[in-house]
Amino acid sequence: MLTVRPTAEMAGISKSLILNGKTIGFVPTMGYLHEGHTSLIDRARTENDIVVVSIFVNPTQFGPNEDLDKYPRNLKRDKSILEKHNVDILFLPIETEMYPDGFSTSVEVKGLTEGLCGAKRPGHFKGVTTVVSKLFNILKPNKAYFGKKDFQQLKVIERMVRDLNYDIEIVGCPIVREKDGLAKSSRNTYLSKNERIAATCLFKSLKKARSAIEGGNNSAKEISNLIRSYLESIPEVRRIDYIEIVNPNTLKPVESIENGTLIAIAAFIGNTRLIDNYVVGEEL
Ligand code: AMP
């Protein structure tokens, strides 16, 4: 595996790969890799000649009181995971090259970013779309892979690619979970032993919602209340950030649940903010 840091070098390598007729599959990450990330990488491996993974803890997508400084990092471990999954190129952007003095341009998707995490993390998606747009311009991949765990992010990136005419196919990949149902996340490492056990409540609340929906309840209000009262019964849930039941394309709230409706939740388990979601009718 080749590790590349300078942006110009990465862009040059991509250019020559493309000239040689190679297809490039790209998986952007913030590192501290787990099986959620490797599911994206494995999918990319089967669909492209060259697989590029980036690791960049992008400062502009973190709010002032968020976990940028303590975000987990372990490059040595990440590299060995990437080698095992036959990644061709690891791109490690240099922060001062990504955001040089005088950096003053951003990419912002309106509408889709107003609710859910966008409402709770002001500026987050602007940071995401700006950095992903830069990475797309540097790498010019044929396909880029994103997890449905960050459902809103996936939708926002799809919209950016459509609106700005990027010739890139966005591939959405299923949520990978721990055996007990907790969605894999680099942030799970923040959890204490008790919190880790309690954290399955997000998944469990979605399962309860699924049973109620399968039992014939399609009222968004009632399903939302069911999720809320279950989460509120768990002492480790310090705060529910949101429980949203929305149309999966517009991300606007719906009153009545049907196949394809997105149920998305964000909650603080102790001091750790976790997210999870369920698309009605799909696998949970
Ligand atoms: P991150 O490193 O958290 O920015 O995540 C990088 C990519 O991996 C994003 O597209 C995430 O949606 C995806 N991802 C993270 N966790 C999971 C998971 N548990 N299942 C599937 N994809 C995931």
Side-chain angles (χ1 to χ4, degrees):
M1 182 175 71
L2 185 66
T3 299
V4 180
R5 300 216 69 194
T7 305
E9 188 185 339
M10 186 65 247
I13 291 170
S14 263
K15 201 171 174 182
S16 67
L17 286 168
I18 294 162
L19 280 173
N20 285 305
K22 303 287 187 201
T23 58
I24 301 174
F26 175 44
V27 183
T29 81
M30 299 204 299
Y32 213 75
L33 303 174
H34 51 68
E35 287 86 349
H37 299 112
T38 55
S39 72
L40 273 51
I41 292 166
D42 294 345
R43 174 92 187 260
R45 186 69 281 170
T46 64
E47 297 181 350
N48 303 275
D49 298 324
I50 301 291
V51 175
V52 182
V53 174
S54 65
I55 296 179
F56 184 57
V57 182
N58 173 39
T60 66
Q61 70 190 67
F62 287 80
N65 298 316
E66 292 184 351
D67 56 342
L68 173 62
D69 291 337
K70 67 166 185 167
Y71 197 83
R73 295 162 167 90
N74 189 338
L75 186 57
K76 201 169 159 215
R77 183 175 158 276
D78 284 350
K79 277 187 174 173
S80 91
I81 292 171
L82 295 173
E83 301 262 11
K84 284 196 190 96
H85 288 264
N86 298 317
V87 168
D88 299 293
I89 301 174
L90 168 61
F91 179 38
L92 294 172
I94 300 160
E95 197 177 315
T96 50
E97 265 203 305
M98 291 297 271
Y99 301 112
D101 278 349
F103 184 87
S104 44
T105 307
S106 58
V107 176
E108 191 170 11
V109 174
K110 298 218 172 76
L112 285 178
T113 59
E114 276 159 21
L116 310 167
C117 288
K120 301 291 173 181
R121 304 184 67 190
H124 168 68
F125 284 114
K126 187 166 146 186
V128 169
T129 41
T130 302
V131 80
V132 170
S133 158
K134 286 170 68 69
L135 292 167
F136 283 178
N137 289 332
I138 295 162
L139 288 159
K140 301 192 166 47
N142 300 78
K143 297 187 183 196
Y145 297 79
F146 291 85
K148 289 184 186 169
K149 167 161 179 284
D150 301 273
F151 193 95
Q152 187 176 20
Q153 170 173 276
L154 170 65
K155 291 289 151 180
V156 167
I157 298 289
E158 283 173 351
R159 182 64 58 84
M160 177 187 87
V161 160
R162 189 202 72 174
D163 287 355
L164 298 183
N165 305 89
Y166 277 102
D167 188 13
I168 299 171
E169 184 187 330
I170 302 302
V171 183
C173 302
I175 300 177
V176 177
R177 298 178 178 281
E178 302 286 353
K179 279 202 184 72
D180 62 6
L182 175 64
K184 298 222 181 212
S185 166
S186 309
R187 289 187 168 101
N188 291 348
T189 148
Y190 298 149
L191 300 167
S192 71
K193 213 170 163 199
N194 281 345
E195 288 168 353
R196 168 63 189 82
I197 295 165
T200 56
C201 65
L202 275 77
F203 172 68
K204 286 182 184 148
S205 74
L206 293 171
K207 268 205 346 196
K208 283 179 190 296
R210 182 182 65 179
S211 307
I213 294 162
E214 285 173 356
N217 191 340
N218 70 351
S219 156
K221 201 168 175 187
E222 285 176 30
I223 297 298
S224 168
N225 286 339
L226 181 101
I227 294 173
R228 182 170 300 278
S229 59
Y230 176 67
L231 290 177
E232 281 175 354
S233 76
I234 309 293
E236 286 80 0
V237 175
R238 189 165 64 82
R239 180 154 66 84
I240 298 170
D241 224 11
Y242 64 74
I243 299 163
E244 294 279 0
I245 302 188
V246 299
N247 175 296
N249 299 312
T250 61
L251 304 184
K252 295 279 185 226
V254 296
E255 279 178 16
S256 145
I257 296 173
E258 52 189 58
N259 261 353
T261 298
L262 172 74
I263 305 180
I265 54 187
F268 283 87
I269 308 295
N271 292 323
T272 304
R273 184 179 183 276
L274 299 179
I275 58 172
D276 204 344
N277 69 73
Y278 165 52
V279 176
V280 176
E282 290 188 8
E283 209 179 309
L284 176 61

